[in-house]
Amino acid sequence: MCEDHPQHGRMNRRGLLVTGAAAALTLNGVSFASGAERRAPQSGQNSGKDAGTRETRTVRGTLPPGAPDFVYLPVEIPDGVGELHVAYTYQKPAVPAGTQGNALDIGVFDERGTDLGGKGFRGWSGGARTEFFIRADEATPGYIPGRVRAGTWHIALGPYTVAPEGLPYEVTITLTYGAPGKTPKPVYPPARAKGRGRAWYRGDCHLHSVYSDGRRTLAEIAALARAAGLDFINSSEHNTHSSHPHWADLAGDDLLIMLGEEVTTRNGHVVALGTDPGTFVDWRYRARDNRFGRYARKIRDTGGLVVPAHPHATCVGCNWKFGFGEADVVEVWNGAYTPDDEVSLADWDSMLVAAVRGGRPWIPAMGNSDAHRDPDPVGSPQTVVLADDLTREAIQDGLRKGRSYIAESKSVDLAFSAAGGKGKHAGIGERLDVDRDSPVTVRLDVQGAPGCTARFVTDQGVLHTGPALPASGAGTLEWRTTASYAAYVRAEVRHAPVVTGLPGPLAAFTNPIFLGR
């Protein structure tokens, strides 16, 4: 048994390393080799252990308050290992109200190392699992199957929060010797579905399964997506791409499945939307490290969109602190509509105002369910995109250009347009090219929102509100304005207020139509 014992509140450790970003603590290593085996391993040489033989080591220690974001436990893996199994536990003492308790994440890097953005990543389960295994032919969801090659592996511990008295932990590593087996060649879902040509397509691009901290299988998610009327979804597991090759059999002519990741840093989360299959995006940095731009570029270089998620969420580490200079789209509405979504909507609207007044590019909005488990509804909300076809590139193009609106369910349909000048028309995400003082008529047609109220929002605020929609849920709202009075117009459809004096929850909203030259 190998142990790291606390000494005067500090861990035995190899050293405090800087890995190109956040500081990382590296503990004393764990070895499974005998003295002779340490001196003589040759590449491909058998360890001498009988197939099926197991060896176990246990490491114990305590992480103090203020521990680095990542603590690495080196493990010397000898030749001839067929399976690596890791289990861990940690104490969760009671803490006073308002004080953070203990939460410890876990993952692993192989013999290729822990370099930021390197090739050594082999899996991450955060705090969702207490154990995992890796073999050539299979691995625990969240982890990447492949040979357990000889060399120095690193178990990555992530102290998410640490109680005032510290975080006592225990890690147990078990090696099983034997033939490595064969790693299956990954097969990925196609980048196109049958589609309907140029049309409005519905999707949910922020979903979690058993491959991170969700409780649903991929098959259950695909079935729920179809039931929610979705045409496309995006895989977005926390800090792992391990689910990518497991979606192929669930795609079809009626459902486009894009691949990505929810890059879950300690300073906010970002959805990598529609990256190339097998793309891994590192998350081990904070805003102060000035590293996010590198990984935003990686997302785009691998065909994806950069989508900051739930930017004003109140959970620890969820609030977005990297700014929006790298964002392609912003997830303004996340799951059930709550006050932090209202703050995100107001913040996004302020960015629209700054963009039009400063002559800068604007950032479109989208909405996703972030569904994890029952009873979280898949497709609520959903983003409805005007795309030339049901392909990854076409959907991304529609999102990037803001040709989209967000609805609470498949029941809600919007048609939003502006007309003016000499027969000119513009739709969502477009610009109506008219003189400043030319009359403009803005029109919103709503279906599926009984009792809701539609209104128009501009860079000057809410300027026109209609009556409550009838029980049929259908209605039309029109308004006449000019480009000198409104630089843009966007539409909102809201439920009745829950709190007097505050707007009701959203049923739907659109990206803007811009007015003027």
Side-chain angles (χ1 to χ4, degrees), residues 16-305:
L16 189 65
L17 303 180
V18 176
T19 61
L25 181 69
T26 300
L27 304 175
N28 291 327
V30 177
S31 176
F32 283 80
S34 67
E37 287 167 337
R38 282 195 203 102
R39 289 193 298 271
Q42 302 290 326
S43 178
Q45 177 182 338
N46 190 282
S47 66
K49 304 287 184 181
D50 292 333
T53 298
R54 292 183 177 178
E55 287 190 298
T56 296
R57 304 285 188 270
T58 298
V59 176
R60 299 184 181 92
T62 299
L63 298 174
D69 288 344
F70 302 101
V71 177
Y72 296 106
L73 174 61
V75 180
E76 297 297 332
I77 304 289
D79 281 317
V81 173
E83 178 183 291
L84 167 69
H85 181 276
V86 177
Y88 81 119
T89 61
Y90 60 94
Q91 295 181 22
K92 301 177 182 178
V95 295
T99 301
Q100 294 292 344
N102 284 334
L104 184 63
D105 295 341
I106 197 167
V108 69
F109 291 79
D110 66 19
E111 83 288 350
R112 290 171 290 185
T114 62
D115 288 348
L116 200 61
K119 296 182 178 181
F121 176 76
R122 290 297 293 271
W124 182 258
S125 48
R129 298 181 181 277
T130 59
E131 60 183 324
F132 66 85
F133 74 89
I134 295 175
R135 296 197 308 262
D137 61 331
E138 192 178 359
T140 299
Y143 293 81
I144 312 301
R147 294 187 64 172
V148 182
R149 295 180 293 265
T152 304
W153 288 51
H154 289 83
I155 296 169
L157 301 176
Y160 196 64
T161 55
V162 179
E165 57 265 56
L167 194 161
Y169 67 88
E170 179 178 294
V171 180
T172 300
I173 306 118
T174 300
L175 305 184
T176 302
Y177 293 85
K182 207 178 233 188
T183 302
K185 183 177 179 180
V187 178
Y188 300 108
R192 64 168 51 245
K194 187 174 182 180
R196 305 180 296 276
R198 185 172 176 83
W200 291 93
Y201 295 100
R202 294 175 178 266
D204 187 350
C205 294
H206 188 167
L207 297 159
H208 295 282
S209 75
V210 295
Y211 282 83
S212 59
D213 63 342
R215 293 292 178 268
R216 289 169 173 149
T217 65
L218 303 188
E220 288 171 334
I221 291 173
L224 290 168
R226 288 179 165 99
L230 301 184
D231 302 293
F232 64 91
I233 59 174
N234 178 71
S235 171
S236 57
E237 307 295 356
H238 293 286
N239 298 341
T240 180
H241 59 294
S242 61
S243 70
H244 287 192
H246 301 281
W247 282 106
D249 291 341
L250 300 171
D253 287 346
D254 63 331
L255 185 65
L256 172 69
I257 299 178
M258 297 184 288
L259 303 176
E261 177 186 335
E262 184 174 9
V263 184
T264 307
T265 80
R266 299 300 176 87
N267 283 161
H269 304 181
V270 60
V271 173
L273 195 164
T275 53
D276 292 338
T279 297
F280 165 65
V281 183
D282 214 322
W283 74 97
R284 294 171 294 156
Y285 43 84
R286 289 181 180 254
R288 66 191 178 210
D289 301 317
N290 294 318
R291 293 282 174 169
F292 177 65
R294 170 183 172 186
Y295 294 98
R297 287 190 294 275
K298 178 171 183 179
I299 292 170
R300 281 192 286 269
D301 288 346
T302 55
L305 298 181

